[in-house]
Amino acid sequence: MKIIIVGGGGREHALLKALGKNPGIETIYALPGNGGMVGEALLVDIAATEVEAIRDFACQKAVDLVVVGPEAPLTLGLVDLLTEAGILAFGPRKNAALVEGSKVFAKELMRKYGIPTAEYMVFADHGEALNFVQNREELDYVIKADGLAAGKGVIIPQTREEAVEAINAIMAERVFGASGNRVVIEELLTGPEVTMLTFCDGKTVVPMVSSMDHKRVGDGDEGPNTGGMGVIAPNPYYTEEIHRYCWEHIYRPTVQALEKEGRPFQGCLYFGLMLTPAGPKVIEYNCRFGDPEAQAVLPLLKTDLLQVLKATIQGRLAKVPVDFSSAHAACVMAASKGYPGDYETGWEISMGELADAVVYHSGTASRNGKLYTAGGRVLGVTATAPDLEAAIGKAYRGMGKIHFPGMHYRRDIGQRALEKRKDGGA
Ligand code: AMP
Ligand code: GLY
């Protein structure tokens, strides 16, 4: 078997390592991959957004499966192109990837089908959006660019000036390009956040293990938002009772809604949830595995990932058991100096022997057998253990063996989860 993994982050490295356990797979190509994948995959210098080049490469190599990691190629229709070319591809088609590609689409879907989410308004006119934020007394709302914005399209204004600046940046200066043609202004929700990744074959939805991302750059959730600085799974705020509620009011209705709309979702559907005092609500959908959530959730998967991916594509999920370990996982991300602002790259990375943790690379490059930093988030260390405290300890011991100039990482990944567990959570 020959497989292509599209993307080059920690999520794709976690997919690669999970697939690599299957002895039937001879070759894995990573497009474009990263330095940490050298030796585990053949790196091919095609960017994840070059969808036609990816299709042509897949045909030329006659690969058996393409696994698409990031959202951008999915919203560009990579899976449609591959499917038309007769190649098995994991990920939603373009019309279903819209759940992430357009926040307006996602909100309208949820409103139409009664799926719990924040109240919202859509503005297509710059003046009207400005008028709204200038006349609103309370800062009880969140501003979101409609389209993809590399994780930067959500603004929670602390002052009215910030709200005005955000509207101007998105709708007038077009800092996110066409993604800012419309904005969603929605109710500010409060409560713990939970990520639930699911496998979804168009009809059947199979929840994985809940997880908790740590989005802020600094300890104690201080500082600016990042792509995610660490994650633990399962999430202790996510109880059985909450799971039952989400299953009935969120997961199943979302999948049914997409099918009814003629946009069956096949792939990994990501539910970003907030457990508000009024019950769980959807903050966002993503059309792919989370990064870094995948680095904590996939190591807990006991079933062969290849079989699950194929069952998802072929609509057979109802017949395939998907089992997860009851262990806990913790993943700590290390970032370059300056991240999430402008950051340094090109530093050599030294790495000792990691006995009981695994390293998933994100922004690394390999030259002459040496590893160098090449991105904002550089790598993550994941460990699993029968309890969360032990998993966290192992992940941090692993991180202690890795060094590069300017390296920084949070020291408190999982602490809030541990406190919650002590309070008697799940
Ligand atoms: P995203 O960039 O889409 O991953 O979202 C960034 C973060 O913004 C989310 O993880 C939440 O912490 C926060 N957020 C998004 N929508 C809301 C909301 N309606 N109320 C409160 N926080 C929100
Ligand atoms: N960790 C958040 C995301 O993947 O969008």
Side-chain angles (χ1 to χ4, degrees):
M1 248 199 117
K2 287 185 275 186
I3 291 184
I4 290 175
I5 294 178
V6 175
R11 162 184 53 212
E12 288 74 25
H13 200 183
L15 286 163
L16 169 59
K17 281 205 193 282
L19 287 168
K21 290 186 199 155
N22 183 312
I25 301 174
E26 313 146 49
T27 310
I28 303 184
Y29 299 99
L31 279 57
N34 65 47
M37 298 180 183
V38 172
E40 300 169 32
L42 297 173
L43 270 51
V44 182
D45 191 17
I46 299 177
T49 47
E50 292 179 72
V51 289
E52 270 114 14
I54 295 170
R55 187 258 332 263
D56 294 346
F57 181 82
C59 291
Q60 185 200 329
K61 297 290 178 190
V63 300
D64 302 283
L65 171 68
V66 179
V67 182
V68 187
E71 61 278 15
L74 294 168
T75 59
L76 291 171
L78 174 57
V79 169
D80 306 64
L81 284 179
L82 291 164
T83 308
E84 279 148 30
I87 291 172
L88 219 54
F90 180 85
R93 284 176 176 263
K94 185 177 178 171
N95 69 357
L98 206 59
V99 292
E100 178 167 3
S102 168
K103 296 211 186 322
V104 174
F105 171 77
K107 296 299 292 191
E108 285 172 353
L109 185 84
M110 288 187 267
R111 184 175 275 173
K112 181 167 171 189
Y113 289 90
I115 297 164
T117 188
E119 290 301 325
Y120 72 99
M121 284 177 291
V122 178
F123 292 92
D125 183 82
H126 176 217
E128 283 174 24
L130 264 187
N131 200 32
F132 176 87
V133 300
Q134 278 165 338
N135 289 311
R136 182 109 185 150
E137 284 296 327
E138 298 86 29
L139 288 159
D140 54 357
Y141 57 86
V142 178
I143 301 169
K144 301 184 170 185
D146 177 39
L148 295 184
K152 301 204 172 83
V154 176
I155 294 102
I156 304 178
Q158 303 298 319
T159 62
R160 197 179 291 175
E161 290 65 45
E162 262 179 49
V164 168
E165 266 170 42
I167 296 290
N168 286 337
I170 297 171
M171 300 189 87
E173 294 153 36
R174 299 290 172 134
V175 293
F176 307 122
S179 287
N181 287 351
R182 293 185 290 180
V183 296
V184 170
I185 297 187
E186 69 175 32
E187 176 196 6
L188 178 73
L189 301 175
T190 54
E193 286 184 52
V194 176
T195 299
M196 179 54 87
L197 305 177
T198 65
F199 292 108
C200 195
D201 70 1
K203 284 185 187 300
T204 302
V205 54
V206 176
M208 299 186 217
V209 173
S210 64
S211 57
M212 182 194 282
D213 192 5
H214 295 63
K215 286 213 164 83
R216 302 297 186 111
V217 73
D219 288 359
D221 290 327
E222 299 283 335
N225 255 324
T226 69
M229 295 299 288
V231 53
I232 59 102
N235 183 328
Y237 287 95
Y238 189 81
T239 60
E240 272 297 322
E241 190 190 343
I242 292 172
H243 181 69
R244 277 196 297 275
Y245 178 91
C246 292
W247 173 259
E248 197 171 320
H249 298 279
I250 297 177
Y251 308 148
R252 225 183 26 183
T254 299
V255 171
Q256 286 173 348
L258 284 164
E259 194 191 4
K260 249 198 187 141
E261 293 293 309
R263 302 166 182 272
F265 189 103
Q266 288 183 283
C268 172
L269 182 51
Y270 171 128
F271 293 85
L273 307 172
M274 195 169 265
L275 308 182
T276 78
K281 296 195 179 185
V282 177
I283 289 277
E284 60 170 346
Y285 295 123
N286 289 327
C287 64
R288 34 110 194 140
F289 287 92
D291 189 332
E293 287 93 332
Q295 291 96 295
V297 172
L298 288 175
L300 298 176
L301 178 66
K302 290 203 292 191
T303 312
D304 174 39
L305 177 62
L306 179 65
Q307 298 315 316
V308 183
L309 299 185
K310 279 167 93 179
T312 303
I313 300 167
Q314 294 164 343
R316 292 186 288 106
L317 267 181
K319 299 195 192 81
V320 174
V322 183
D323 294 321
F324 284 87
S325 149
S326 58
H328 293 253
C331 167
V332 182
M333 299 291 306
S336 294
K337 185 172 182 183
Y339 178 81
D342 291 339
Y343 51 80
E344 298 179 354
T345 58
W347 294 106
E348 191 178 337
I349 304 168
S350 70
M351 213 179 282
E353 278 293 313
L354 271 68
D356 51 6
V358 41
V359 181
Y360 296 120
H361 292 244
S362 313
T364 67
S366 167
R367 282 193 296 277
N368 305 322
K370 289 185 176 172
L371 274 174
Y372 297 89
T373 65
R377 287 187 297 171
V378 174
L379 50 80
V381 179
T382 295
T384 58
D387 67 85
L388 179 60
E389 201 158 13
I392 295 169
K394 279 168 144 183
Y396 276 106
R397 275 196 297 284
M399 191 58 98
K401 297 190 177 156
I402 299 173
H403 300 279
F404 57 85
M407 168 185 187
H408 64 95
Y409 56 90
R410 278 181 64 163
R411 312 284 158 157
D412 68 340
I413 300 302
Q415 284 313 311
R416 209 148 41 86
L418 280 179
E419 281 153 29
K420 170 68 184 163
R421 289 173 70 79
K422 284 187 193 122
D423 289 352

